[in-house]
Amino acid sequence: MKKLIEVKNLSVDYITFDGRVRAVNDVSFDIGEGEILGLAGESGCGKSTIAYSLMRLHRPPAMISEGQILFNGKDVLEMDEEQLRDFRWKDTSMVFQSAMNCLNPVKTIEYQFFDIFDAHGLVNSREESIEKAKELLRIVDIPTERLFDYPHQFSGGMRQRVVIAMALALKPKLLIMDEPTTALDVVVQREILQKVYQLKEEFGFSILFITHDLSLMVELCDRIGIMYSGQLVELAPSKEILSKPKHPYAFGLGDSFPTLHGELQEMKGIPGTPLDLKNVPAGCRFSPRCFKATEACKTTPPKLLGAGENRWVSCHHPLPIDGEKIEIVQEAV
Ligand SMILES: Nc1ncnc2c1ncn2[C@@H]1O[C@H](COP(=O)(O)OP(=O)(O)OP(=O)(O)O)[C@@H](O)[C@H]1O
Ligand SMILES: [Mg+2]
């Protein structure tokens, strides 16, 4: 699969009055053309910070301190303002964590579509804009006569569909969805994600999907990256990440989720609390909460290394699967 976006050793800091906080630390991954990659991990582990960095939407006090982001081989961190304007809607677009509230409450949906098309020189007239906007509403199953309504006249689920239609307005190659359906009920959530999946199949874009809902993620994604305290600790095909985790944190996450099938099981959770980023341990960041931790884990930070086919893990003592002996083979990008 051809790589669409490559993130190499990305580190992002927040410069606060209390000092520098490293919210994303040395993270590397890629997303293939047409692939859906999920990012999971507890609140504050840096998922949104990565999403914002990919589009260079981070603002002070956030600062990309290290690393490289390549989009189709182009260096995103080197782009000037003009290149960025094109990159942001034409190459990649984002549905934000609070997307439903992104719509301007005092403008009709029609105006807000026009605003996007006009800013990118895509239409010559208002009529042309209306036609294009109707086409987009159709693909997210919203009746076209609703185009002239205001955001408050839509339900939450419909507003979310409008925002997704807007994100697809310039046919981007990468759609970033940061908890796009968190505020919606599970049925609407599922309908919207099914629609997004259909559109992805039709148009062939890639998706970076961020959510707390691991079961939703496993259903939708091709691969999933698990983050802990600013670091990517495991990257694996979605079918394997919960059933055959290699990182103790991924194992703990799997144990914290109820399964729909099989026998009733007690949920165990992960003991301890998330790290204070101002005070991280010298070794592995998960070591204070890890049931496999040894002295080495407390002093030496592990690297994200290849561990089997299409699998990466950052752990000194990865969990074996079905009695296999894990051999760490190659260093990640
Ligand atoms: N503007 C800011 N100033 C200082 N620190 C920040 C700022 N924004 C985020 N952070 C810190 O950066 C870390 C990562 O935050 P981020 O929003 O990326 O987490 P997240 O994984 O998206 O969490 P959630 O699941 O709650 O959305 C957190 O510890 C957060 O406190
Ligand atoms: Mg977030």
Side-chain angles (χ1 to χ4, degrees), residues 12-17 19 21-24 39-52 59-62 97 178-179 210-212 227 229-230 275-278:
V12 186
D13 293 334
Y14 286 100
I15 318 291
T16 68
F17 289 118
V21 171
R22 180 144 292 195
V24 173
L39 270 189
E42 57 203 6
S43 192
C45 68
K47 305 180 295 294
S48 297
T49 304
I50 290 187
Y52 277 81
R59 290 277 170 271
Q97 206 159 353
D178 188 356
E179 293 183 34
I210 297 173
T211 178
H212 285 278
M227 289 191 64
S229 184
L275 271 189
D276 172 4
L277 287 175
K278 289 201 259 1

Short mmCIF file of all heavy atoms in Angstrom, two decimals, residues 12-17 19 21-24 39-52 59-62 97 178-179 210-212 227 229-230 275-278, ligand 1:
data_model
loop_
_atom_site.label_atom_id
_atom_site.label_comp_id
_atom_site.label_asym_id
_atom_site.label_seq_id
_atom_site.Cartn_x
_atom_site.Cartn_y
_atom_site.Cartn_z
N VAL A 12 5.87 17.14 20.14
CA VAL A 12 5.18 18.43 20.26
C VAL A 12 5.18 18.86 21.73
O VAL A 12 4.86 18.06 22.62
CB VAL A 12 3.71 18.33 19.76
CG1 VAL A 12 3.05 19.70 19.74
CG2 VAL A 12 3.64 17.68 18.39
N ASP A 13 5.56 20.10 21.97
CA ASP A 13 5.61 20.62 23.34
C ASP A 13 4.55 21.70 23.52
O ASP A 13 4.20 22.41 22.58
CB ASP A 13 6.97 21.28 23.62
CG ASP A 13 8.09 20.26 23.63
OD1 ASP A 13 7.81 19.09 23.92
OD2 ASP A 13 9.24 20.63 23.32
N TYR A 14 4.05 21.83 24.74
CA TYR A 14 3.26 23.01 25.11
C TYR A 14 4.15 23.83 26.03
O TYR A 14 4.69 23.31 27.02
CB TYR A 14 1.98 22.60 25.84
CG TYR A 14 0.94 22.03 24.91
CD1 TYR A 14 0.75 20.65 24.79
CD2 TYR A 14 0.15 22.86 24.13
CE1 TYR A 14 -0.21 20.13 23.92
CE2 TYR A 14 -0.81 22.35 23.26
CZ TYR A 14 -0.98 20.99 23.16
OH TYR A 14 -1.92 20.48 22.30
N ILE A 15 4.32 25.10 25.67
CA ILE A 15 5.16 25.97 26.49
C ILE A 15 4.23 26.67 27.49
O ILE A 15 3.46 27.55 27.09
CB ILE A 15 5.90 27.02 25.63
CG1 ILE A 15 6.45 26.40 24.34
CG2 ILE A 15 6.97 27.74 26.42
CD1 ILE A 15 7.58 25.42 24.51
N THR A 16 4.27 26.27 28.72
CA THR A 16 3.35 26.85 29.72
C THR A 16 4.15 27.70 30.72
O THR A 16 5.39 27.68 30.72
CB THR A 16 2.62 25.73 30.50
OG1 THR A 16 3.58 25.05 31.30
CG2 THR A 16 1.95 24.74 29.57
N PHE A 17 3.43 28.42 31.59
CA PHE A 17 4.12 29.23 32.60
C PHE A 17 4.93 28.35 33.55
O PHE A 17 5.93 28.76 34.11
CB PHE A 17 3.11 30.08 33.39
CG PHE A 17 2.54 31.19 32.56
CD1 PHE A 17 1.18 31.25 32.29
CD2 PHE A 17 3.38 32.18 32.03
CE1 PHE A 17 0.67 32.27 31.50
CE2 PHE A 17 2.87 33.21 31.25
CZ PHE A 17 1.51 33.25 30.98
N GLY A 19 6.55 25.78 32.64
CA GLY A 19 7.65 25.13 31.92
C GLY A 19 7.13 24.40 30.69
O GLY A 19 5.97 24.56 30.30
N VAL A 21 6.00 21.29 28.47
CA VAL A 21 5.38 19.98 28.65
C VAL A 21 5.39 19.25 27.31
O VAL A 21 4.90 19.77 26.31
CB VAL A 21 3.91 20.14 29.12
CG1 VAL A 21 3.20 18.79 29.09
CG2 VAL A 21 3.86 20.73 30.50
N ARG A 22 6.00 18.06 27.29
CA ARG A 22 6.06 17.31 26.03
C ARG A 22 4.80 16.44 25.90
O ARG A 22 4.68 15.40 26.55
CB ARG A 22 7.34 16.47 25.98
CG ARG A 22 7.45 15.68 24.71
CD ARG A 22 8.86 15.57 24.19
NE ARG A 22 9.39 16.85 23.72
CZ ARG A 22 10.47 16.97 22.97
NH1 ARG A 22 11.15 15.91 22.61
NH2 ARG A 22 10.89 18.15 22.59
N ALA A 23 3.86 16.90 25.08
CA ALA A 23 2.56 16.20 24.98
C ALA A 23 2.63 15.06 23.98
O ALA A 23 1.87 14.09 24.07
CB ALA A 23 1.48 17.19 24.57
N VAL A 24 3.53 15.18 22.98
CA VAL A 24 3.73 14.10 22.01
C VAL A 24 5.23 13.86 21.95
O VAL A 24 6.00 14.80 21.75
CB VAL A 24 3.18 14.48 20.62
CG1 VAL A 24 3.54 13.44 19.58
CG2 VAL A 24 1.67 14.67 20.68
N LEU A 39 -6.42 5.99 16.32
CA LEU A 39 -5.52 6.34 17.44
C LEU A 39 -6.35 6.28 18.72
O LEU A 39 -7.39 6.95 18.82
CB LEU A 39 -4.97 7.75 17.30
CG LEU A 39 -3.67 7.98 16.54
CD1 LEU A 39 -3.22 9.42 16.72
CD2 LEU A 39 -2.56 7.02 16.95
N ALA A 40 -5.92 5.45 19.65
CA ALA A 40 -6.66 5.31 20.90
C ALA A 40 -5.72 5.55 22.08
O ALA A 40 -4.50 5.51 21.95
CB ALA A 40 -7.25 3.91 20.99
N GLY A 41 -6.33 5.77 23.23
CA GLY A 41 -5.53 6.00 24.43
C GLY A 41 -6.29 6.92 25.34
O GLY A 41 -7.19 7.65 24.89
N GLU A 42 -5.94 6.91 26.63
CA GLU A 42 -6.77 7.66 27.58
C GLU A 42 -6.66 9.17 27.38
O GLU A 42 -5.76 9.66 26.70
CB GLU A 42 -6.46 7.24 29.02
CG GLU A 42 -5.04 7.41 29.43
CD GLU A 42 -4.65 6.49 30.61
OE1 GLU A 42 -5.42 5.64 31.05
OE2 GLU A 42 -3.51 6.65 31.07
N SER A 43 -7.60 9.87 27.99
CA SER A 43 -7.68 11.32 27.85
C SER A 43 -6.35 11.98 28.19
O SER A 43 -5.72 11.64 29.19
CB SER A 43 -8.77 11.81 28.81
OG SER A 43 -9.08 13.13 28.52
N GLY A 44 -5.91 12.90 27.33
CA GLY A 44 -4.69 13.64 27.60
C GLY A 44 -3.43 12.96 27.08
O GLY A 44 -2.32 13.44 27.31
N CYS A 45 -3.57 11.83 26.35
CA CYS A 45 -2.35 11.11 25.91
C CYS A 45 -1.76 11.73 24.64
O CYS A 45 -0.70 11.31 24.20
CB CYS A 45 -2.64 9.62 25.72
SG CYS A 45 -3.73 9.28 24.34
N GLY A 46 -2.44 12.72 24.04
CA GLY A 46 -1.83 13.44 22.92
C GLY A 46 -2.46 13.19 21.56
O GLY A 46 -1.92 13.61 20.54
N LYS A 47 -3.62 12.57 21.52
CA LYS A 47 -4.23 12.22 20.23
C LYS A 47 -4.60 13.49 19.43
O LYS A 47 -4.25 13.61 18.26
CB LYS A 47 -5.50 11.37 20.46
CG LYS A 47 -5.25 10.13 21.30
CD LYS A 47 -6.50 9.31 21.50
CE LYS A 47 -7.60 9.99 22.30
NZ LYS A 47 -7.29 10.25 23.73
N SER A 48 -5.30 14.41 20.09
CA SER A 48 -5.70 15.63 19.37
C SER A 48 -4.47 16.46 18.99
O SER A 48 -4.45 17.09 17.94
CB SER A 48 -6.64 16.49 20.22
OG SER A 48 -7.82 15.79 20.47
N THR A 49 -3.48 16.45 19.86
CA THR A 49 -2.26 17.22 19.55
C THR A 49 -1.63 16.70 18.26
O THR A 49 -1.18 17.48 17.42
CB THR A 49 -1.26 17.12 20.73
OG1 THR A 49 -1.93 17.56 21.91
CG2 THR A 49 -0.03 17.97 20.49
N ILE A 50 -1.64 15.39 18.07
CA ILE A 50 -1.11 14.82 16.82
C ILE A 50 -1.98 15.25 15.65
O ILE A 50 -1.48 15.70 14.62
CB ILE A 50 -1.05 13.27 16.91
CG1 ILE A 50 0.03 12.86 17.89
CG2 ILE A 50 -0.82 12.65 15.52
CD1 ILE A 50 0.30 11.37 17.94
N ALA A 51 -3.31 15.15 15.83
CA ALA A 51 -4.22 15.51 14.74
C ALA A 51 -3.99 16.96 14.30
O ALA A 51 -3.86 17.24 13.10
CB ALA A 51 -5.66 15.31 15.18
N TYR A 52 -3.91 17.86 15.26
CA TYR A 52 -3.68 19.27 14.94
C TYR A 52 -2.33 19.46 14.25
O TYR A 52 -2.20 20.25 13.33
CB TYR A 52 -3.73 20.13 16.20
CG TYR A 52 -5.14 20.51 16.60
CD1 TYR A 52 -5.96 19.64 17.28
CD2 TYR A 52 -5.66 21.76 16.26
CE1 TYR A 52 -7.26 19.98 17.63
CE2 TYR A 52 -6.96 22.12 16.60
CZ TYR A 52 -7.76 21.22 17.29
OH TYR A 52 -9.04 21.56 17.62
N ARG A 59 -1.48 25.89 17.59
CA ARG A 59 -1.21 27.31 17.84
C ARG A 59 -0.47 27.40 19.16
O ARG A 59 -0.61 26.52 20.01
CB ARG A 59 -2.53 28.07 17.97
CG ARG A 59 -3.30 28.21 16.67
CD ARG A 59 -2.77 29.39 15.84
NE ARG A 59 -3.34 29.39 14.50
CZ ARG A 59 -2.82 28.76 13.46
NH1 ARG A 59 -1.72 28.04 13.58
NH2 ARG A 59 -3.37 28.84 12.27
N PRO A 60 0.31 28.48 19.38
CA PRO A 60 0.94 28.63 20.68
C PRO A 60 -0.11 28.49 21.79
O PRO A 60 -1.25 28.92 21.57
CB PRO A 60 1.48 30.07 20.65
CG PRO A 60 1.59 30.41 19.21
CD PRO A 60 0.58 29.60 18.49
N PRO A 61 0.18 27.85 22.90
CA PRO A 61 1.51 27.46 23.35
C PRO A 61 2.04 26.14 22.79
O PRO A 61 3.08 25.67 23.23
CB PRO A 61 1.30 27.32 24.87
CG PRO A 61 -0.11 26.85 25.00
CD PRO A 61 -0.85 27.55 23.91
N ALA A 62 1.35 25.54 21.77
CA ALA A 62 1.88 24.29 21.21
C ALA A 62 3.00 24.58 20.21
O ALA A 62 2.95 25.59 19.50
CB ALA A 62 0.76 23.53 20.51
N GLN A 97 -13.16 17.57 17.36
CA GLN A 97 -13.73 16.94 18.54
C GLN A 97 -15.11 17.53 18.88
O GLN A 97 -16.03 16.82 19.23
CB GLN A 97 -12.76 17.13 19.71
CG GLN A 97 -12.88 16.06 20.76
CD GLN A 97 -11.62 15.96 21.62
OE1 GLN A 97 -10.61 16.59 21.35
NE2 GLN A 97 -11.68 15.15 22.65
N ASP A 178 -11.57 13.56 14.72
CA ASP A 178 -11.19 13.52 16.12
C ASP A 178 -12.46 13.41 16.97
O ASP A 178 -13.18 14.39 17.14
CB ASP A 178 -10.43 14.80 16.48
CG ASP A 178 -9.84 14.75 17.88
OD1 ASP A 178 -10.08 13.76 18.60
OD2 ASP A 178 -9.14 15.71 18.25
N GLU A 179 -12.74 12.24 17.45
CA GLU A 179 -13.96 11.95 18.21
C GLU A 179 -15.18 12.59 17.54
O GLU A 179 -15.87 13.41 18.15
CB GLU A 179 -13.80 12.42 19.65
CG GLU A 179 -12.76 11.57 20.34
CD GLU A 179 -12.59 11.92 21.80
OE1 GLU A 179 -13.57 12.28 22.43
OE2 GLU A 179 -11.46 11.80 22.28
N ILE A 210 -9.94 9.10 15.52
CA ILE A 210 -9.61 9.16 16.95
C ILE A 210 -10.88 8.99 17.76
O ILE A 210 -11.86 9.70 17.52
CB ILE A 210 -8.95 10.52 17.28
CG1 ILE A 210 -7.63 10.65 16.51
CG2 ILE A 210 -8.73 10.68 18.77
CD1 ILE A 210 -6.98 12.01 16.61
N THR A 211 -10.89 8.06 18.68
CA THR A 211 -12.05 7.90 19.55
C THR A 211 -11.66 7.17 20.83
O THR A 211 -10.63 6.50 20.89
CB THR A 211 -13.18 7.12 18.84
OG1 THR A 211 -14.27 6.96 19.75
CG2 THR A 211 -12.75 5.75 18.40
N HIS A 212 -12.53 7.33 21.85
CA HIS A 212 -12.33 6.56 23.08
C HIS A 212 -13.00 5.20 22.97
O HIS A 212 -12.77 4.33 23.78
CB HIS A 212 -12.98 7.29 24.27
CG HIS A 212 -12.21 8.47 24.71
ND1 HIS A 212 -11.13 8.37 25.54
CD2 HIS A 212 -12.34 9.78 24.43
CE1 HIS A 212 -10.65 9.57 25.77
NE2 HIS A 212 -11.35 10.44 25.10
N MET A 227 -1.85 4.88 22.18
CA MET A 227 -0.94 5.87 22.76
C MET A 227 -1.01 5.85 24.28
O MET A 227 -2.07 5.60 24.86
CB MET A 227 -1.32 7.26 22.28
CG MET A 227 -1.00 7.46 20.81
SD MET A 227 -1.15 9.17 20.36
CE MET A 227 0.13 9.92 21.36
N SER A 229 0.52 8.43 27.33
CA SER A 229 1.31 9.55 27.80
C SER A 229 2.23 10.15 26.72
O SER A 229 3.44 10.26 26.92
CB SER A 229 2.14 9.06 29.00
OG SER A 229 2.85 10.12 29.54
N GLY A 230 1.64 10.48 25.58
CA GLY A 230 2.39 11.17 24.53
C GLY A 230 3.18 10.26 23.62
O GLY A 230 3.85 10.72 22.70
N LEU A 275 -0.17 9.63 33.77
CA LEU A 275 1.01 10.39 34.22
C LEU A 275 0.78 11.89 34.19
O LEU A 275 0.05 12.39 33.35
CB LEU A 275 2.14 10.12 33.24
CG LEU A 275 3.07 8.94 33.47
CD1 LEU A 275 4.22 9.04 32.48
CD2 LEU A 275 3.61 8.97 34.89
N ASP A 276 1.46 12.56 35.10
CA ASP A 276 1.55 14.01 35.01
C ASP A 276 2.71 14.28 34.06
O ASP A 276 3.85 13.88 34.32
CB ASP A 276 1.86 14.56 36.41
CG ASP A 276 2.16 16.04 36.38
OD1 ASP A 276 2.05 16.64 35.29
OD2 ASP A 276 2.50 16.59 37.44
N LEU A 277 2.41 14.94 32.93
CA LEU A 277 3.44 15.11 31.90
C LEU A 277 4.62 15.96 32.38
O LEU A 277 5.69 15.97 31.76
CB LEU A 277 2.84 15.73 30.64
CG LEU A 277 1.95 14.79 29.80
CD1 LEU A 277 1.32 15.56 28.66
CD2 LEU A 277 2.74 13.61 29.28
N LYS A 278 4.40 16.71 33.47
CA LYS A 278 5.51 17.54 33.99
C LYS A 278 6.50 16.69 34.77
O LYS A 278 7.55 17.13 35.15
CB LYS A 278 4.96 18.66 34.86
CG LYS A 278 4.23 19.73 34.04
CD LYS A 278 4.15 21.02 34.78
CE LYS A 278 2.90 21.40 35.45
NZ LYS A 278 1.69 20.82 35.59
N1 LIG B 1 -3.19 24.63 25.22
C1 LIG B 1 -2.57 23.77 26.03
N2 LIG B 1 -1.68 24.20 26.95
C2 LIG B 1 -1.03 23.32 27.76
N3 LIG B 1 -1.16 21.99 27.70
C3 LIG B 1 -2.03 21.49 26.81
C4 LIG B 1 -2.79 22.36 25.92
N4 LIG B 1 -3.57 21.57 25.13
C5 LIG B 1 -3.33 20.29 25.52
N5 LIG B 1 -2.42 20.27 26.51
C6 LIG B 1 -1.90 19.05 27.18
O1 LIG B 1 -1.37 18.17 26.21
C7 LIG B 1 -1.69 16.83 26.52
C8 LIG B 1 -2.34 16.16 25.33
O2 LIG B 1 -3.60 16.76 25.09
P1 LIG B 1 -4.54 16.28 23.90
O3 LIG B 1 -5.66 17.25 23.81
O4 LIG B 1 -3.73 16.07 22.68
O5 LIG B 1 -5.04 14.88 24.47
P2 LIG B 1 -6.12 13.86 23.87
O6 LIG B 1 -5.46 12.53 23.81
O7 LIG B 1 -6.71 14.40 22.62
O8 LIG B 1 -7.21 13.82 25.04
P3 LIG B 1 -8.82 13.64 24.94
O9 LIG B 1 -9.03 12.18 24.72
O10 LIG B 1 -9.30 14.09 26.28
O11 LIG B 1 -9.31 14.50 23.81
C9 LIG B 1 -2.57 16.87 27.76
O12 LIG B 1 -1.79 16.55 28.87
C10 LIG B 1 -3.04 18.29 27.85
O13 LIG B 1 -3.20 18.68 29.18
#
